[in-house]
Amino acid sequence: MKRMLSGIKPTGGLTLGNYIGAISQFIKYQDEYEMYVFIANLHSITVAQDPKELRQNTKDLIALYLAAGLDPQKVTLFLQSDISAHAELGWILTCHSYMGELQRMTQYKDKTAKGETNITAGLFTYPSLMAADILLYDADYVPVGIDQKQHVELTRNIAERFNNKYGETFIIPEPVIPKVGAKIMSLQDPTKKMSKSDETTKGAIYLLDEPAVARKKIMSAVTDSIGIIRYDEVNQPGIANLLTIHSVLSKESIEDIVERFSNHGYGDLKKEIGQLVFDFLSELQDRFKEIKNSGIVDEVLRQGKEQAEQIAYKKIRKVKRKVGFEIVK
Ligand code: AMP
Ligand code: TRP
């Protein structure tokens, strides 16, 4: 069975973008692949975190994974910081990454371009740690939203470089990007990604938003003055984004939705999507509450750690041997 791995940072609330771009894919593939899903808490501290909030966000993220439908019988669910091999391999791969290639990574480039002053060294080396996450488990596939594609490509380059120098060590992974929903846009500015750290919370639907509040956000989503419902990312990015959200939640194809709404205005379309989002969040949050009250989260993490560490420690030992750290055979 091929192996698949992905992670999400426990920073701020999870958005509908995270669900559509990442989590819904994990669920879709959990029967088909040997699946590893983790909480990228080492990555989260590349920007300042409040420890209390981090703890809370971590617990919520695990409960959300489960509420969304990840089955701990099928998926190994774990905390990145529980497996010290991530940090160890992260360092080794940092030493096999070039300044130039890290400088080209969008996240760092954007923050520098904006003139942000408190950028940590960790934010710069972040992609090398992400490479370690993936290569440690010999993942064949990495399901992510489009924004992470360049990190998986960098991972491939680092893996090839390492294999060339030390002999076959790592599997070369492939990104898996969803056909619909690889980049859900902000409801307030549909030319920007819907993001956890959106300046206006009206632009993002959080998975733990009150369903009625989320519905209002859909109703006030920015569209255009063209007035025709069709899928045109360039000229009508707001409507294209709404159609995408509809299609993912309703499982109806975009063409069918467009056809059904051919004689309708934007208000009607928004109303239907508002209801879909309302129902989706209500159900998800009911399950979320149940899971949080059940105490299952601790047990899932304990089991996940046990399963993940067996693979990770075997790999890190091999890597240490290859680079010349282990002197006793
Ligand atoms: P992050 O919140 O940055 O840890 O992202 C976790 C996962 O969600 C990654 O696979 C991202 O590519 C994906 N993701 C984040 N925001 C969006 C979005 N607006 N649309 C689609 N996927 C997203
Ligand atoms: N960098 C990813 C993000 O911001 C999170 C992440 C960390 C990840 N390590 C990973 C995703 C390994 C996939 C595989 O979304």
Side-chain angles (χ1 to χ4, degrees), residues 6-9 11 14-15 17-22 26 126 143-148 181-185 193-196:
S6 194
I8 297 185
K9 297 189 300 276
T11 46
L14 244 59
T15 69
N18 291 129
Y19 175 79
I20 293 176
F26 307 165
Y126 175 119
V144 281
I146 196 89
D147 61 318
Q148 296 298 317
K183 191 174 183 185
I184 297 298
M185 309 311 257
K193 185 181 90 158
M194 180 184 285
S195 149
K196 288 169 179 166

Side-chain angles (χ1 to χ4, degrees), residues 16 20 180-181 184 218 229 231 238-254 256-258 260-261 268-277:
L16 194 60
I20 293 176
V180 177
I184 297 298
I218 294 287
I229 295 175
Y231 191 87
I239 291 295
N241 193 40
L242 288 174
L243 286 169
T244 302
I245 293 174
H246 189 316
S247 175
V248 172
L249 294 183
S250 66
K251 302 195 168 67
E252 186 177 350
S253 74
I254 290 185
D256 287 355
I257 303 167
V258 167
R260 231 170 14 86
F261 278 90
D268 291 342
L269 177 69
K270 283 181 171 178
K271 232 189 237 160
E272 193 166 296
I273 300 172
Q275 190 60 39
L276 280 170
V277 169

